[in-house]
Amino acid sequence: MKIKGSVVFVTGASRGLGLAFAREAVVRGAAKVYAGVRNPAAFDQPGIIPVKLDVTDPASVAAAAELAKDVTVLVNNAGIAEVTGSPFADVADEHARRIFETNYYGVMRVTRAFEPLLPEDGQGAIVNVLSDVTWRTVPMLAPYSASKAAAWSYTNNIRVQLKDRRIAVVGLHVGFVDTDLTKDFDVPKANPLDVARQVYDALEAGESEVLADEGSKELKRSLSLAVPGYIDPEVLESK
């Protein structure tokens, strides 16, 4: 499939990686690009149509799908992250409920609403933004990690479900991306535009998964080890 001539809807597109996805779709010649945002009045990007969207609100999701019935490519980018401190913290269950509502149930809601709209001629696609913490053990991010692991499983299941309808499903695994959300973290970060380009390249090449940085690639390789990185993080630190 090609992004050129497609109609792309990106959730969580007001800034960061979501905005990069929307802008790159415009550059690649998409016929139309929708940006799912909480406040359309504050969004002003040439060639991109803002659509009010709160992925935690079923009515908002339904209204967005009703407005954008011509969508051919859905990018589930909207997500939140919180530092819990410990998997046993008093706030861990509260954080988990809030994070899952966006990162897992939000993906499910949006996908369920848009999936019937996608074409079955090989030009329909869903992109789910996942994370390297699907495979990386980070105790202070345990609820967030669990939400992304759940979203990864969901991604793999819908890929199989939609295969006969020729709707592509791409899962993106990436660590820190250089956005406002990560500005206070002194760690290596991927360029959001580069990540968006990798995903669209993979989609156009018929691939199903994108490992957008070296850290994610190393994590994926470790899964076949007798003691993988998610059991013993020192396996990764020794490489």
Side-chain angles (χ1 to χ4, degrees):
M1 66 164 297
K2 294 292 184 182
I3 300 302
K4 184 176 181 179
S6 65
V7 178
V8 180
F9 193 110
V10 184
T11 71
S14 61
R15 60 181 182 173
L17 182 56
L19 183 56
F21 270 116
R23 285 174 169 168
E24 180 62 14
V26 172
V27 170
R28 293 190 179 220
K32 189 183 295 184
V33 180
Y34 295 106
V37 296
R38 286 180 176 269
N39 182 13
F43 186 89
D44 183 17
Q45 293 289 326
I48 303 175
I49 304 167
V51 177
K52 185 174 179 59
L53 177 65
D54 177 355
V55 301
T56 69
D57 180 357
S60 175
V61 172
E66 180 67 23
L67 186 149
K69 287 183 176 180
D70 52 350
V71 165
T72 62
V73 177
L74 170 66
V75 180
N76 281 311
N77 167 76
I80 61 172
E82 295 183 36
V83 176
T84 302
S86 163
F88 312 120
D90 291 340
V91 296
D93 55 346
E94 175 189 339
H95 283 192
R97 290 189 184 94
R98 184 162 53 245
I99 291 169
F100 263 77
E101 195 62 38
T102 295
N103 296 2
Y104 181 65
Y105 293 113
V107 171
M108 288 184 67
R109 286 188 195 95
V110 174
T111 303
R112 187 169 57 240
F114 281 87
E115 168 266 327
L117 307 175
L118 301 179
E120 301 182 10
D121 59 357
Q123 296 302 307
I126 298 170
V127 174
N128 286 344
V129 176
L130 306 171
S131 172
D132 68 344
V133 296
T134 299
W135 306 315
R136 184 187 298 279
T137 304
V138 187
M140 68 177 180
L141 294 175
Y144 174 75
S145 299
S147 74
K148 289 299 187 177
W152 179 45
S153 179
Y154 179 74
T155 300
N156 295 332
N157 277 279
I158 65 170
R159 182 182 297 114
V160 173
Q161 182 72 20
L162 295 173
K163 183 178 180 180
D164 289 344
R165 294 176 53 202
R166 301 178 62 197
I167 296 174
V169 176
V170 175
L172 163 64
H173 295 273
V174 64
F176 284 97
V177 179
D178 191 9
T179 66
D180 289 345
L181 186 66
T182 65
K183 63 183 179 181
D184 295 327
F185 292 89
D186 185 18
V187 295
K189 302 171 188 176
N191 181 293
L193 186 55
D194 177 63
V195 174
R197 287 170 176 164
Q198 288 189 59
V199 172
Y200 287 141
D201 285 347
L203 190 56
E204 293 185 337
E207 298 171 5
S208 298
E209 190 169 70
V210 176
L211 308 174
D213 54 14
E214 286 304 315
S216 296
K217 293 174 184 176
E218 187 61 45
L219 282 163
K220 183 69 180 292
R221 285 193 289 267
S222 85
L223 298 182
S224 62
L225 298 177
V227 180
Y230 63 80
I231 290 178
D232 183 1
E234 291 185 4
V235 169
L236 301 170
E237 295 170 4
S238 65
K239 292 186 178 298

